[in-house]
Amino acid sequence: MHTLLNASEMLANLADWYQVDPADEPDYPELATLQPVVCQALCISRPEGILLIDAPAHDDNPGGATPIPGYAPPPPLEEQLQAAGIPPESISHLVITHAHWDHFNGLTRQVDGEDQPIYPNAVHYLGRGDWEMIQPALADPQSLQSRTLGAVERAGLLQLVDGEMEILPGIRILPAPGESPGHQIVRIEEADGVLYHVGDLYHHRLEVARPEWACHWAEATAHNASRAAFLAAALPENASILASHIAGFGRIRSTGDGMKWEAVS
Ligand SMILES: [Zn+2]
């Protein structure tokens, strides 16, 4: 069983993200205006354990994005989980797709001035490349990274991931670098097919239609290779896909001369 959770929404300037001029791309009016993007997490319940993928929290000042004027955020992720009958203490496995703020800023809460893990019984899986990437930030005890991922590490809950890893029966972490050095995705075998949580391998459906559009912060060669490896696996499987910032589940379809994102209800 899986539970999809939305922690926040913000506005993205895709033309800036992809460094393209909207005037050159009249077929894609989404480039000319700010586009709403969600911040989603996914929870998978299995007899052997309960997995949470990413722990985003709403932030009034989203770095790299624009706040939605007058936006009222939903309850924090841990409250949404509790309401769905999943106490945060019951989470046994927690995959952080990558160490960008919007995927880990909901890992801890302040208790008596201390940053405490919200998921105290979960092994937290982070790609080693991202742990190395955030070392300069971890040197500052007040940084977001120190107060979240650092606190998780100090609590003995962090497990660094070097490659493919099966964490529960039929659930595997797969490295997919590019968005960040340690970016990782999750392949989930479900009763009715395969589901992938692809993190930020795609941020918007435009990136499926125009794969040459990648965010300017990504390392392009690795990112393209990760997308190619993912598509080679997921298209023959007719897999369902969840991307952190594309609302709801989808599939990627071949259109003959390219590909498109198709929402799945
Ligand atoms: Zn993101």
Side-chain angles (χ1 to χ4, degrees):
M1 195 190 86
H2 57 242
T3 307
L4 179 60
L5 306 140
N6 182 21
S8 185
E9 278 182 58
M10 51 200 182
L11 295 170
N13 182 338
L14 299 176
D16 175 61
W17 284 11
Y18 310 149
Q19 306 277 289
V20 295
D21 184 346
D24 295 337
E25 301 289 346
D27 291 344
Y28 297 95
E30 299 95 330
L31 294 169
T33 56
L34 294 177
Q35 293 295 307
V37 290
V38 293
C39 291
Q40 299 172 120
L42 183 67
C43 186
I44 311 280
S45 297
R46 290 282 171 88
E48 300 86 357
I50 303 181
L51 164 67
L52 179 64
I53 305 175
D54 282 344
H58 173 73
D59 191 317
D60 286 334
N61 297 296
T66 304
I68 297 176
Y71 177 69
L77 205 64
E78 62 272 26
E79 289 181 23
Q80 295 188 44
L81 284 165
Q82 188 82 49
I86 307 166
E89 299 75 25
S90 70
I91 304 289
S92 55
H93 298 66
L94 201 162
V95 172
I96 301 145
T97 58
H98 61 299
H100 287 166
W101 66 274
D102 51 319
H103 298 259
F104 66 78
N105 62 344
L107 285 175
T108 53
R109 69 160 79 85
Q110 280 239 316
V111 180
D112 299 331
E114 296 278 318
D115 297 302
Q116 301 282 353
I118 290 174
Y119 307 97
N121 299 311
V123 179
H124 294 52
Y125 297 89
L126 177 69
R128 186 180 298 275
D130 278 19
W131 183 246
E132 289 168 358
M133 173 182 79
I134 64 168
Q135 287 307 306
L138 289 173
D140 171 5
Q142 292 310 314
S143 69
L144 174 67
Q145 291 83 351
S146 289
R147 298 186 51 201
T148 53
L149 291 164
V152 164
E153 195 263 340
R154 291 190 291 277
L157 298 174
L158 188 67
Q159 177 158 352
L160 299 180
V161 182
D162 287 304
E164 272 196 49
M165 181 188 275
E166 184 167 57
I167 54 171
L168 282 166
I171 302 182
R172 297 181 77 79
I173 294 175
L174 307 173
E179 167 74 6
S180 66
H183 183 266
Q184 50 193 8
I185 66 175
V186 186
R187 182 182 186 275
I188 302 144
E189 290 173 13
E190 301 209 288
D192 56 353
V194 175
L195 167 66
Y196 285 86
H197 188 310
V198 300
D200 284 4
L201 194 60
Y202 300 93
H203 304 78
H204 192 277
R205 57 190 164 71
L206 286 193
E207 294 164 37
V208 176
R210 296 291 296 265
E212 73 276 24
W213 290 348
C215 294
H216 61 81
W217 55 82
E219 202 288 295
T221 304
H223 195 62
N224 289 337
S226 292
R227 282 180 170 176
F230 165 69
L231 291 172
L235 291 182
E237 292 171 329
N238 192 30
S240 301
I241 304 167
L242 180 70
S244 300
H245 302 298
I246 304 177
F249 297 95
R251 284 200 170 83
I252 294 180
R253 293 273 183 230
S254 187
T255 60
D257 61 347
M259 282 175 296
K260 68 169 181 181
W261 177 271
E262 205 172 77
V264 174
S265 57

